[in-house]
Every structure is written in structure tokens, then in C-alpha cells.
Amino acid sequence: MTIGRKRQRKKTQTQSKEVRQAVDPIGIWLTGQEAKDLLLPSGYKPITKNEEVRKCTHKIADLVSSMTIMLMENGDKGDRRLKNELSKKIDVYPNKNMVRKNFVYKIVTDMIETGNSVVYPKMKEGLLDNLVIWNPGKLSFKGDEEEYQILKSNVAFDPDELLHFVLVPDDEMPYRGQGYTSAIKDTITNLVQANATKTGFLQSKWKPSLIIKVESDAEGMQIKEERDKILHSYVGDTEAGEPWIVPASEIDVKEVRPLTLQDLAIQDSITLDKRAVASAFGVPPFMIGVGEFKKDEYNNFISSVIMPIAKIIEQELTRKLIYSPTWYFKFNPKSLMQYDLGELTTHAKEMVAIGMMNRNEGRNLFDYSPAEGLDEYAVLENHIPVEDIGNQKKLDKGGEE
């Protein structure tokens, strides 16, 4: 049975695509880096290049891409994992130029920043040969409430020809995603301004620690040599830590304590804005340098943010690449959860004791290799096999006989 499939375009559809609709030539010309250099003001930095945004995006993409992608099959007694060429293709080498982790990382990054990630499945002799990620900046979408097309280099593709991963559907065009960044523009603006104020304050030269008032005419104080002469005549020969001895009627020395970031409340504003950015992405604040690590908060982040994004990828891969109605793709989140070693040991012991896990499966939780004789499902402290649980003498009405 053919594992992958390529949806053939109808002849009428192919012929219609040969005669393209007229496209505004300005829209074609204003693309790429040259268009950005021409249209954007000097010093412009997109929101996706902001430090906090990049940190949040990296954390989410890094965690999603760290999970194993499993091919599963529905069964009467439960689902089981399949290991074949399709599962190996998706989980090991989906793209010829990158490993699976970098492949998924790029998909998730595009989803967060633009709301859309489009992958072109290249087929060879009816089988899946390569998955190519398209640059979202070169794509556009057109359509209505029922149908839409994806345009690349003035060529229209139907969505069933591509893998289209959508994050946060748009209100007017739900087939197109809008990502997270559109919801944090104002917060990022405030954060950028606060950082600029902080940098300017720290780099300012108007922070003298001492002001020395000297009995002299104004013209003499305008000459640097005269000022240096007066200063060195009193303090030039003084050793470190030695007190100054100056005439009380000629010199008046005052200490100046400059304002700090706490005085201006800039640091508090930056912290609040960082928390707002983290909240918009659903990322725990400690991941971007605010607050302390909390295990429960991290595990909730995995289940409420990471897994919903993984579900989008799972479902799109399943409905576009699989023939069988009983097969589906699934990410494995267990490797991401934070477990205390003692908790994991207790969990393994309890699962083995009630027969829901054999001892080799328990060893696998700690990345130990399987051992012979530990594949039976046993219960109680003496590890009675499950099938012999009813043959215990204490349960036999005949007693010793």
C-alpha cells in the first residue's frame, strides 16, 4: 500500500493556472530585502527581532521540536505505535537538508511569528520524498468563507496540495493564521522605549559625583587649564584615602548622589512589560529572566501551550499524508515534563505493583536497557504473574488441600 499520496491537479485546473490573473506589477517588484530597505525607515527593527519575543518564540519552538513524532494505529484494545518507513521519514529525516528537530523548529517559529507555516510535500513514484518549508514572506492568501488558495510567486495552490499549519485563526479569514505577535505590539513598544531610556540614562555623562565651588571670576573658570590648576593644587598630591585640606573661604565641596533606575522606576516598568510579553505567549516569566522556576507552572505550560501547537501539527500531518483511517501522528510530551527522581521512582514502583507496567517498561523510564525475564506483567511484592493472580492459596477455598 502506498504510504504517501500526491493529489494530482485536474487538467482544467492546470490549464487555468497557466493563464494567470493580472497581478499588480508593483506588488511583484516590492518584495524581498530590497523592498524592506526601500520602504522601512532607517533603524527599523521588526517585532519578531525583539529580544523578549525571540526568547519566547525560541522556548516554544525548542520544546515542540524536542518531542518525538510517533505514528499510531487505533486498535480494539488500545492504540499502538507503528514503526515503518513513514514514521521514520517524519520523525527522523522529513527534509533532506535538516534534521527533524530543526525542521519542526522552523515550522513552529513561522507559526508564532506570522501565524502560518506552509510545507510543500514532494512526491516520487507515489511516495513521500521530501517536505520543503516555504518562506512565509513570499506567500499570500485569497479566498472566501468556503474556499481559499495559497499564492507563491504568482502561482496558486489549493490547500490540499500543501501542508498548511495555522496558529490563531484570523477573524475575517479563518483559514489564515495571525500568530501571537499582533497581540503584543503595544507592550513591545513600551518595552523598547523603557530599554532606550535605561540605556540613555546609563550612558549619560551628566553624573558628576562631586561639585567644587571655588572663589574665582567667571572668565578664569572657562579655561580648562585654570580649572585643572586649581584642582591639582589641592588634590593632586593627596594619597588615596587621605583627607583634603582646603581653605574654608575659597572652596566649597558638595557630594552629588545621581538618580538610579529605582528612583526612575524604569526597572519596575521593564519587569512588568516582560511579564506582559510572557503572558501573551503563555510562557512562564522565569523563562525570560523574571521570577524563579516553578515546576507546576512549567508543567502547566507544557500542557496548555506546547501541546496545543503540537496538536495543530499532528492533525495537519494526519489528514494530508495518511491514507489509513486508523492511523494518526502523535507527539510524545512525556519527555518534556519535569519529574522529581523520587516521584518517578515511586510512580514506576506503583505501576509495576498493580500490573499496569512490566519491569522493563519501568526501566525504560530511566533510559535503562531492557533485561531478560522482566517482560511479564506481575503484581504484589513477590511479583506473581497477572495470569496466576487467582491461583494464590489464600484465595483458594480448599486451603492447603
Side-chain angles (χ1 to χ4, degrees):
M1 181 181 66
T2 302
I3 296 176
R5 71 175 182 273
K6 177 180 180 182
R7 292 181 171 81
Q8 301 291 339
R9 304 183 190 178
K10 297 180 181 179
K11 292 183 178 180
T12 55
Q13 181 183 4
T14 304
Q15 294 173 355
S16 64
K17 290 180 180 178
E18 293 177 354
V19 183
R20 302 297 175 189
Q21 295 180 351
V23 179
D24 188 354
I26 297 179
I28 299 177
W29 175 60
L30 294 177
T31 58
Q33 186 62 39
E34 294 181 356
K36 294 180 180 179
D37 295 339
L38 176 66
L39 297 177
L40 299 179
S42 176
Y44 170 80
K45 180 184 291 186
I47 190 173
T48 55
K49 300 299 181 182
N50 177 266
E51 180 181 356
E52 278 67 35
V53 172
R54 289 179 65 87
K55 285 180 180 178
C56 293
T57 302
H58 166 71
K59 289 297 182 182
I60 295 175
D62 183 58
L63 289 172
V64 174
S65 61
S66 296
M67 289 186 288
T68 301
I69 305 177
M70 303 182 296
L71 179 61
M72 306 295 293
E73 181 181 29
N74 298 126
D76 295 336
K77 296 183 179 180
D79 299 349
R80 65 186 185 94
R81 183 178 180 181
L82 298 178
K83 294 182 179 180
N84 54 28
E85 288 302 315
L86 177 60
S87 64
K88 184 177 179 181
K89 177 67 178 177
I90 299 300
D91 189 48
V92 179
Y93 53 93
N95 183 277
K96 293 182 177 180
N97 298 321
M98 63 180 77
V99 297
R100 185 261 303 160
K101 178 173 175 57
N102 291 340
F103 177 78
V104 178
Y105 185 100
K106 174 60 176 173
I107 289 176
V108 177
T109 300
D110 289 343
M111 291 171 63
I112 295 173
E113 294 181 351
T114 68
N116 302 276
S117 180
V118 177
V119 176
Y120 176 65
K122 295 184 66 175
M123 313 299 289
K124 185 177 182 180
E125 299 179 356
L127 297 175
L128 181 63
D129 182 57
N130 194 24
L131 294 175
V132 182
I133 301 177
W134 283 355
N135 185 350
K138 297 181 179 180
L139 304 177
S140 59
F141 305 87
K142 70 173 184 178
D144 51 29
E145 291 80 2
E146 296 184 3
E147 298 181 353
Y148 78 100
Q149 290 182 317
I150 301 173
L151 281 74
K152 180 180 184 293
S153 301
N154 204 30
V155 178
F157 294 84
D158 289 333
D160 61 354
E161 299 176 278
L162 307 168
L163 299 175
H164 183 196
F165 306 99
V166 177
L167 181 64
V168 188
D170 185 81
D171 296 335
E172 297 182 358
M173 294 178 284
Y175 52 80
R176 184 182 70 182
Q178 55 185 349
Y180 290 153
T181 55
S182 60
I184 57 174
K185 289 182 179 179
D186 293 339
T187 302
I188 294 300
T189 301
N190 295 336
L191 188 58
V192 170
Q193 181 59 52
N195 282 325
T197 304
K198 175 182 176 181
T199 301
F201 176 79
L202 294 176
Q203 294 178 349
S204 175
K205 68 178 182 178
W206 302 109
K207 294 185 294 184
S209 57
L210 293 176
I211 295 180
I212 302 176
K213 184 170 65 175
V214 181
E215 292 289 339
S216 179
D217 54 27
E219 294 180 357
M221 290 296 97
Q222 294 177 0
I223 303 174
K224 184 179 184 302
E225 289 76 9
E226 292 294 327
R227 297 196 302 269
D228 292 342
K229 181 179 178 181
I230 295 174
L231 180 62
H232 290 292
S233 63
Y234 292 101
V235 302
D237 298 331
T238 305
E239 297 294 334
E242 186 177 352
W244 295 354
I245 300 176
V246 298
S249 60
E250 296 182 6
I251 297 180
D252 183 17
V253 181
K254 291 185 177 180
E255 181 182 2
V256 178
R257 296 183 181 273
L259 292 175
T260 64
L261 293 178
Q262 285 74 17
D263 296 328
L264 299 179
I266 294 178
Q267 196 62 41
D268 293 339
S269 175
I270 292 176
T271 299
L272 290 174
D273 287 336
K274 284 186 176 183
R275 287 185 177 275
V277 173
S279 176
F281 283 92
V283 174
F286 63 81
M287 286 190 167
I288 60 173
V290 180
E292 299 179 355
F293 172 79
K294 297 179 181 178
K295 184 177 68 173
D296 293 340
E297 188 175 0
Y298 170 83
N299 288 337
N300 179 68
F301 166 65
I302 297 298
S303 60
S304 62
V305 177
I306 298 300
M307 287 311 300
I309 295 178
K311 286 295 180 184
I312 296 173
I313 301 177
E314 290 175 4
Q315 294 171 5
E316 185 71 357
L317 291 174
T318 299
R319 75 188 189 108
K320 296 287 184 67
L321 297 181
I322 294 181
Y323 271 139
S324 174
T326 61
W327 291 8
Y328 65 94
F329 285 107
K330 177 184 178 182
F331 280 88
N332 180 18
K334 294 181 181 178
S335 59
L336 300 183
M337 305 298 287
Q338 288 287 337
Y339 297 108
D340 180 81
L341 187 60
E343 293 176 347
L344 193 60
T345 302
T346 301
H347 168 73
K349 290 174 61 178
E350 292 178 351
M351 293 290 283
V352 170
I354 61 177
M356 294 186 65
M357 177 189 295
N358 64 45
R359 283 168 284 177
N360 270 334
E361 291 172 334
R363 291 172 62 87
N364 185 58
L365 294 177
F366 302 92
D367 294 326
Y368 295 150
S369 300
E372 293 186 10
L374 301 182
D375 290 326
E376 287 185 338
Y377 289 89
V379 296
L380 302 179
E381 66 280 356
N382 52 356
H383 302 293
I384 301 173
V386 172
E387 58 269 18
D388 295 332
I389 192 67
N391 297 331
Q392 299 180 82
K393 291 183 178 180
K394 64 181 181 179
L395 299 179
D396 191 348
K397 295 182 179 178
E400 293 296 331
E401 296 179 0

